[in-house]
Amino acid sequence: MSSPPQNSTLPFSAKNKLSRAIDPAVRFKRSLDQVAADTESLLDRLLAPKPVSGELARPVRLLDAMRYASLGGGKRVRPFLVVETAKLFGVPRREALMVAAALECVHCYSLVHDDLPAMDDDALRRGRPTVHKAFDEATAILAGDGLLTFAFDILSRPQTHAKPDIRIQLISALAHAAGVGGMAGGQMLDLAAEGRFTNGRGRPFDFADVKALQSMKTGALLKFACASGAILGEAPGKARAALERYGSAVGEAFQVADDLLDIEGDAATVGKATGKDAAAHKATFLSLLGIDGARKRLKTLIAEAEKAIAPFGKDGAILQAAAHFIANRRS
Ligand code: GRG
């Protein structure tokens, strides 16, 4: 287990001065690639055909669909945030990667279910056919269910953290981020704003409505990613609050960038259909702020993220670079 430094308001990790001298943007890219590779191989191992103790069997078609949904694609931004925030407190990488894998399972489940005909009805995800196209709808629903529950299996394992109370904190925080008061709730508000349940008449929405909806739908998982590093590292409340402020700013920036990609990106680069938000009369930042307003908002959010991470000094530089990447991403 990590041993956070004593007598400091915001703990820091002891880092190699040489590695810190490298441009944070370069370090960010290297770390993102390494975390992506590590998350991939961990998920590959966790989703092996052999059942674990307590399971009766792992049906091949379901496991194949869960693997298709979670392996071989994705930027792995959320795992990166888990690993890099955990690093601030000297958390062993193998523990952070368990949380990263669990979070990625929840994220991948949400994409599978979001793509279903009853939701966004998409045929393309990560540049490949969506799960219900590659398999079938029933299998896609079950693959989502399997991934969501698997996330909590992973968090409950002693390899995630030796202390049961830390594991419970992680389970509770992820459940809150993913459930009725988080991502699933945000998705429901999104569908309602489209007018799905009111004969196509969407309720007028303002900036506060969109901010609340998006902070649940997209922001909650990204905020959890940042908070989880502090939970694993048993960080002081002030440090966790700073990371949550960073996570909220980055979460909103992620969504504003997504809105911009939906109108400015092309499907081949983004890896999914674009131009869908306006067609579905979605409650987006872009529909309220316009393109220039959205770009201005991104600058404000990057500044908020940088301010939140500033107390971590040079140790936080890679997370500052991540905020820029997330705001300016092209896929
Ligand atoms: C179905 C409960 C339920 C929730 C769905 C995630 C979500 C909620 C909807 C997806 C719609 C969407 C495109 C939201 C924008 C933010 C987002 C989650 C984008 C995809 O995340 P990336 O870019 O994807 O991190 P990769 O493929 O890189 O992992």
PDB file of all heavy atoms in Angstrom, residues 286-309:
ATOM      1  N   LEU A 286     -23.378  23.184 -27.364  1.00  0.00           N
ATOM      2  CA  LEU A 286     -23.246  23.879 -28.641  1.00  0.00           C
ATOM      3  C   LEU A 286     -24.554  24.541 -29.070  1.00  0.00           C
ATOM      4  O   LEU A 286     -24.546  25.660 -29.592  1.00  0.00           O
ATOM      5  CB  LEU A 286     -22.811  22.858 -29.697  1.00  0.00           C
ATOM      6  CG  LEU A 286     -21.999  23.459 -30.816  1.00  0.00           C
ATOM      7  CD1 LEU A 286     -20.654  23.897 -30.295  1.00  0.00           C
ATOM      8  CD2 LEU A 286     -21.828  22.464 -31.931  1.00  0.00           C
ATOM      9  N   SER A 287     -25.675  23.849 -28.812  1.00  0.00           N
ATOM     10  CA  SER A 287     -26.958  24.426 -29.232  1.00  0.00           C
ATOM     11  C   SER A 287     -27.241  25.712 -28.461  1.00  0.00           C
ATOM     12  O   SER A 287     -27.962  26.573 -28.922  1.00  0.00           O
ATOM     13  CB  SER A 287     -28.091  23.413 -29.051  1.00  0.00           C
ATOM     14  OG  SER A 287     -28.210  23.049 -27.702  1.00  0.00           O
ATOM     15  N   LEU A 288     -26.658  25.849 -27.284  1.00  0.00           N
ATOM     16  CA  LEU A 288     -26.874  27.060 -26.478  1.00  0.00           C
ATOM     17  C   LEU A 288     -25.801  28.118 -26.715  1.00  0.00           C
ATOM     18  O   LEU A 288     -26.096  29.311 -26.761  1.00  0.00           O
ATOM     19  CB  LEU A 288     -26.855  26.701 -24.984  1.00  0.00           C
ATOM     20  CG  LEU A 288     -28.094  26.014 -24.436  1.00  0.00           C
ATOM     21  CD1 LEU A 288     -27.831  25.551 -23.022  1.00  0.00           C
ATOM     22  CD2 LEU A 288     -29.289  26.957 -24.457  1.00  0.00           C
ATOM     23  N   LEU A 289     -24.555  27.673 -26.839  1.00  0.00           N
ATOM     24  CA  LEU A 289     -23.445  28.640 -26.879  1.00  0.00           C
ATOM     25  C   LEU A 289     -23.000  28.980 -28.295  1.00  0.00           C
ATOM     26  O   LEU A 289     -22.343  30.000 -28.498  1.00  0.00           O
ATOM     27  CB  LEU A 289     -22.222  28.077 -26.111  1.00  0.00           C
ATOM     28  CG  LEU A 289     -22.438  27.704 -24.636  1.00  0.00           C
ATOM     29  CD1 LEU A 289     -21.180  27.052 -24.067  1.00  0.00           C
ATOM     30  CD2 LEU A 289     -22.799  28.933 -23.811  1.00  0.00           C
ATOM     31  N   GLY A 290     -23.327  28.146 -29.268  1.00  0.00           N
ATOM     32  CA  GLY A 290     -22.786  28.335 -30.619  1.00  0.00           C
ATOM     33  C   GLY A 290     -21.315  27.925 -30.646  1.00  0.00           C
ATOM     34  O   GLY A 290     -20.716  27.656 -29.590  1.00  0.00           O
ATOM     35  N   ILE A 291     -20.719  27.882 -31.858  1.00  0.00           N
ATOM     36  CA  ILE A 291     -19.343  27.375 -31.980  1.00  0.00           C
ATOM     37  C   ILE A 291     -18.348  28.277 -31.250  1.00  0.00           C
ATOM     38  O   ILE A 291     -17.522  27.798 -30.461  1.00  0.00           O
ATOM     39  CB  ILE A 291     -18.940  27.228 -33.468  1.00  0.00           C
ATOM     40  CG1 ILE A 291     -19.793  26.133 -34.109  1.00  0.00           C
ATOM     41  CG2 ILE A 291     -17.452  26.874 -33.599  1.00  0.00           C
ATOM     42  CD1 ILE A 291     -19.438  25.816 -35.538  1.00  0.00           C
ATOM     43  N   ASP A 292     -18.451  29.583 -31.448  1.00  0.00           N
ATOM     44  CA  ASP A 292     -17.486  30.493 -30.795  1.00  0.00           C
ATOM     45  C   ASP A 292     -17.640  30.445 -29.281  1.00  0.00           C
ATOM     46  O   ASP A 292     -16.656  30.433 -28.538  1.00  0.00           O
ATOM     47  CB  ASP A 292     -17.676  31.923 -31.306  1.00  0.00           C
ATOM     48  CG  ASP A 292     -17.214  32.048 -32.750  1.00  0.00           C
ATOM     49  OD1 ASP A 292     -16.535  31.107 -33.227  1.00  0.00           O
ATOM     50  OD2 ASP A 292     -17.551  33.061 -33.392  1.00  0.00           O
ATOM     51  N   GLY A 293     -18.903  30.424 -28.827  1.00  0.00           N
ATOM     52  CA  GLY A 293     -19.166  30.367 -27.384  1.00  0.00           C
ATOM     53  C   GLY A 293     -18.610  29.086 -26.782  1.00  0.00           C
ATOM     54  O   GLY A 293     -18.066  29.072 -25.671  1.00  0.00           O
ATOM     55  N   ALA A 294     -18.738  27.970 -27.532  1.00  0.00           N
ATOM     56  CA  ALA A 294     -18.240  26.680 -27.028  1.00  0.00           C
ATOM     57  C   ALA A 294     -16.715  26.712 -26.916  1.00  0.00           C
ATOM     58  O   ALA A 294     -16.137  26.219 -25.939  1.00  0.00           O
ATOM     59  CB  ALA A 294     -18.684  25.554 -27.950  1.00  0.00           C
ATOM     60  N   ARG A 295     -16.064  27.319 -27.918  1.00  0.00           N
ATOM     61  CA  ARG A 295     -14.590  27.401 -27.868  1.00  0.00           C
ATOM     62  C   ARG A 295     -14.144  28.267 -26.692  1.00  0.00           C
ATOM     63  O   ARG A 295     -13.157  27.968 -26.021  1.00  0.00           O
ATOM     64  CB  ARG A 295     -14.063  27.999 -29.173  1.00  0.00           C
ATOM     65  CG  ARG A 295     -14.262  27.065 -30.342  1.00  0.00           C
ATOM     66  CD  ARG A 295     -13.018  27.027 -31.244  1.00  0.00           C
ATOM     67  NE  ARG A 295     -13.248  26.070 -32.326  1.00  0.00           N
ATOM     68  CZ  ARG A 295     -13.822  26.392 -33.482  1.00  0.00           C
ATOM     69  NH1 ARG A 295     -14.187  27.628 -33.719  1.00  0.00           N
ATOM     70  NH2 ARG A 295     -14.014  25.471 -34.409  1.00  0.00           N
ATOM     71  N   LYS A 296     -14.891  29.351 -26.448  1.00  0.00           N
ATOM     72  CA  LYS A 296     -14.561  30.234 -25.317  1.00  0.00           C
ATOM     73  C   LYS A 296     -14.739  29.469 -23.994  1.00  0.00           C
ATOM     74  O   LYS A 296     -13.924  29.567 -23.084  1.00  0.00           O
ATOM     75  CB  LYS A 296     -15.512  31.441 -25.333  1.00  0.00           C
ATOM     76  CG  LYS A 296     -14.818  32.755 -25.058  1.00  0.00           C
ATOM     77  CD  LYS A 296     -15.737  33.912 -25.345  1.00  0.00           C
ATOM     78  CE  LYS A 296     -15.782  34.794 -24.117  1.00  0.00           C
ATOM     79  NZ  LYS A 296     -16.898  35.725 -24.104  1.00  0.00           N
ATOM     80  N   ARG A 297     -15.813  28.698 -23.936  1.00  0.00           N
ATOM     81  CA  ARG A 297     -16.087  27.912 -22.723  1.00  0.00           C
ATOM     82  C   ARG A 297     -14.949  26.906 -22.475  1.00  0.00           C
ATOM     83  O   ARG A 297     -14.549  26.689 -21.331  1.00  0.00           O
ATOM     84  CB  ARG A 297     -17.434  27.182 -22.895  1.00  0.00           C
ATOM     85  CG  ARG A 297     -17.860  26.357 -21.708  1.00  0.00           C
ATOM     86  CD  ARG A 297     -18.401  27.213 -20.574  1.00  0.00           C
ATOM     87  NE  ARG A 297     -18.563  26.435 -19.341  1.00  0.00           N
ATOM     88  CZ  ARG A 297     -18.326  26.890 -18.126  1.00  0.00           C
ATOM     89  NH1 ARG A 297     -17.936  28.140 -17.934  1.00  0.00           N
ATOM     90  NH2 ARG A 297     -18.488  26.123 -17.078  1.00  0.00           N
ATOM     91  N   LEU A 298     -14.430  26.325 -23.549  1.00  0.00           N
ATOM     92  CA  LEU A 298     -13.321  25.373 -23.396  1.00  0.00           C
ATOM     93  C   LEU A 298     -12.120  26.036 -22.744  1.00  0.00           C
ATOM     94  O   LEU A 298     -11.463  25.455 -21.875  1.00  0.00           O
ATOM     95  CB  LEU A 298     -12.907  24.798 -24.758  1.00  0.00           C
ATOM     96  CG  LEU A 298     -13.727  23.625 -25.285  1.00  0.00           C
ATOM     97  CD1 LEU A 298     -13.209  23.179 -26.639  1.00  0.00           C
ATOM     98  CD2 LEU A 298     -13.726  22.458 -24.310  1.00  0.00           C
ATOM     99  N   LYS A 299     -11.840  27.292 -23.157  1.00  0.00           N
ATOM    100  CA  LYS A 299     -10.689  28.006 -22.567  1.00  0.00           C
ATOM    101  C   LYS A 299     -10.911  28.227 -21.079  1.00  0.00           C
ATOM    102  O   LYS A 299     -10.002  28.026 -20.263  1.00  0.00           O
ATOM    103  CB  LYS A 299     -10.505  29.362 -23.270  1.00  0.00           C
ATOM    104  CG  LYS A 299      -9.934  29.216 -24.656  1.00  0.00           C
ATOM    105  CD  LYS A 299      -9.331  30.534 -25.153  1.00  0.00           C
ATOM    106  CE  LYS A 299      -8.703  30.306 -26.517  1.00  0.00           C
ATOM    107  NZ  LYS A 299      -9.213  31.179 -27.552  1.00  0.00           N
ATOM    108  N   THR A 300     -12.141  28.619 -20.717  1.00  0.00           N
ATOM    109  CA  THR A 300     -12.459  28.835 -19.293  1.00  0.00           C
ATOM    110  C   THR A 300     -12.282  27.534 -18.512  1.00  0.00           C
ATOM    111  O   THR A 300     -11.738  27.519 -17.403  1.00  0.00           O
ATOM    112  CB  THR A 300     -13.936  29.308 -19.156  1.00  0.00           C
ATOM    113  OG1 THR A 300     -14.099  30.441 -19.994  1.00  0.00           O
ATOM    114  CG2 THR A 300     -14.309  29.635 -17.732  1.00  0.00           C
ATOM    115  N   LEU A 301     -12.723  26.432 -19.103  1.00  0.00           N
ATOM    116  CA  LEU A 301     -12.655  25.145 -18.402  1.00  0.00           C
ATOM    117  C   LEU A 301     -11.208  24.669 -18.236  1.00  0.00           C
ATOM    118  O   LEU A 301     -10.849  24.114 -17.192  1.00  0.00           O
ATOM    119  CB  LEU A 301     -13.491  24.092 -19.141  1.00  0.00           C
ATOM    120  CG  LEU A 301     -15.003  24.337 -19.050  1.00  0.00           C
ATOM    121  CD1 LEU A 301     -15.760  23.519 -20.091  1.00  0.00           C
ATOM    122  CD2 LEU A 301     -15.526  24.018 -17.640  1.00  0.00           C
ATOM    123  N   ILE A 302     -10.381  24.905 -19.259  1.00  0.00           N
ATOM    124  CA  ILE A 302      -8.960  24.539 -19.122  1.00  0.00           C
ATOM    125  C   ILE A 302      -8.353  25.340 -17.982  1.00  0.00           C
ATOM    126  O   ILE A 302      -7.610  24.803 -17.147  1.00  0.00           O
ATOM    127  CB  ILE A 302      -8.180  24.778 -20.439  1.00  0.00           C
ATOM    128  CG1 ILE A 302      -8.642  23.807 -21.523  1.00  0.00           C
ATOM    129  CG2 ILE A 302      -6.672  24.599 -20.222  1.00  0.00           C
ATOM    130  CD1 ILE A 302      -8.020  24.047 -22.887  1.00  0.00           C
ATOM    131  N   ALA A 303      -8.688  26.626 -17.915  1.00  0.00           N
ATOM    132  CA  ALA A 303      -8.150  27.477 -16.836  1.00  0.00           C
ATOM    133  C   ALA A 303      -8.619  26.967 -15.477  1.00  0.00           C
ATOM    134  O   ALA A 303      -7.842  26.914 -14.510  1.00  0.00           O
ATOM    135  CB  ALA A 303      -8.583  28.925 -17.061  1.00  0.00           C
ATOM    136  N   GLU A 304      -9.885  26.545 -15.396  1.00  0.00           N
ATOM    137  CA  GLU A 304     -10.408  26.005 -14.116  1.00  0.00           C
ATOM    138  C   GLU A 304      -9.667  24.733 -13.731  1.00  0.00           C
ATOM    139  O   GLU A 304      -9.319  24.515 -12.567  1.00  0.00           O
ATOM    140  CB  GLU A 304     -11.907  25.678 -14.256  1.00  0.00           C
ATOM    141  CG  GLU A 304     -12.808  26.866 -14.020  1.00  0.00           C
ATOM    142  CD  GLU A 304     -14.288  26.522 -14.211  1.00  0.00           C
ATOM    143  OE1 GLU A 304     -14.680  25.342 -14.059  1.00  0.00           O
ATOM    144  OE2 GLU A 304     -15.048  27.443 -14.533  1.00  0.00           O
ATOM    145  N   ALA A 305      -9.432  23.868 -14.726  1.00  0.00           N
ATOM    146  CA  ALA A 305      -8.727  22.604 -14.448  1.00  0.00           C
ATOM    147  C   ALA A 305      -7.305  22.894 -13.976  1.00  0.00           C
ATOM    148  O   ALA A 305      -6.810  22.279 -13.014  1.00  0.00           O
ATOM    149  CB  ALA A 305      -8.711  21.728 -15.701  1.00  0.00           C
ATOM    150  N   GLU A 306      -6.645  23.853 -14.640  1.00  0.00           N
ATOM    151  CA  GLU A 306      -5.260  24.184 -14.261  1.00  0.00           C
ATOM    152  C   GLU A 306      -5.190  24.751 -12.843  1.00  0.00           C
ATOM    153  O   GLU A 306      -4.285  24.422 -12.080  1.00  0.00           O
ATOM    154  CB  GLU A 306      -4.677  25.189 -15.263  1.00  0.00           C
ATOM    155  CG  GLU A 306      -4.348  24.523 -16.584  1.00  0.00           C
ATOM    156  CD  GLU A 306      -3.705  25.456 -17.608  1.00  0.00           C
ATOM    157  OE1 GLU A 306      -3.919  26.675 -17.496  1.00  0.00           O
ATOM    158  OE2 GLU A 306      -3.015  24.949 -18.498  1.00  0.00           O
ATOM    159  N   LYS A 307      -6.188  25.573 -12.513  1.00  0.00           N
ATOM    160  CA  LYS A 307      -6.214  26.178 -11.172  1.00  0.00           C
ATOM    161  C   LYS A 307      -6.408  25.080 -10.109  1.00  0.00           C
ATOM    162  O   LYS A 307      -5.754  25.078  -9.069  1.00  0.00           O
ATOM    163  CB  LYS A 307      -7.357  27.194 -11.109  1.00  0.00           C
ATOM    164  CG  LYS A 307      -7.350  28.041  -9.868  1.00  0.00           C
ATOM    165  CD  LYS A 307      -8.396  29.134  -9.951  1.00  0.00           C
ATOM    166  CE  LYS A 307      -8.562  29.751  -8.567  1.00  0.00           C
ATOM    167  NZ  LYS A 307      -9.905  30.227  -8.326  1.00  0.00           N
ATOM    168  N   ALA A 308      -7.309  24.141 -10.415  1.00  0.00           N
ATOM    169  CA  ALA A 308      -7.595  23.083  -9.439  1.00  0.00           C
ATOM    170  C   ALA A 308      -6.370  22.209  -9.182  1.00  0.00           C
ATOM    171  O   ALA A 308      -6.135  21.758  -8.052  1.00  0.00           O
ATOM    172  CB  ALA A 308      -8.753  22.227  -9.934  1.00  0.00           C
ATOM    173  N   ILE A 309      -5.568  21.991 -10.228  1.00  0.00           N
ATOM    174  CA  ILE A 309      -4.439  21.060 -10.114  1.00  0.00           C
ATOM    175  C   ILE A 309      -3.168  21.776  -9.638  1.00  0.00           C
ATOM    176  O   ILE A 309      -2.181  21.122  -9.234  1.00  0.00           O
ATOM    177  CB  ILE A 309      -4.226  20.315 -11.474  1.00  0.00           C
ATOM    178  CG1 ILE A 309      -3.699  18.904 -11.256  1.00  0.00           C
ATOM    179  CG2 ILE A 309      -3.337  21.051 -12.431  1.00  0.00           C
ATOM    180  CD1 ILE A 309      -4.684  17.958 -10.699  1.00  0.00           C
TER     181      ILE A 309
END
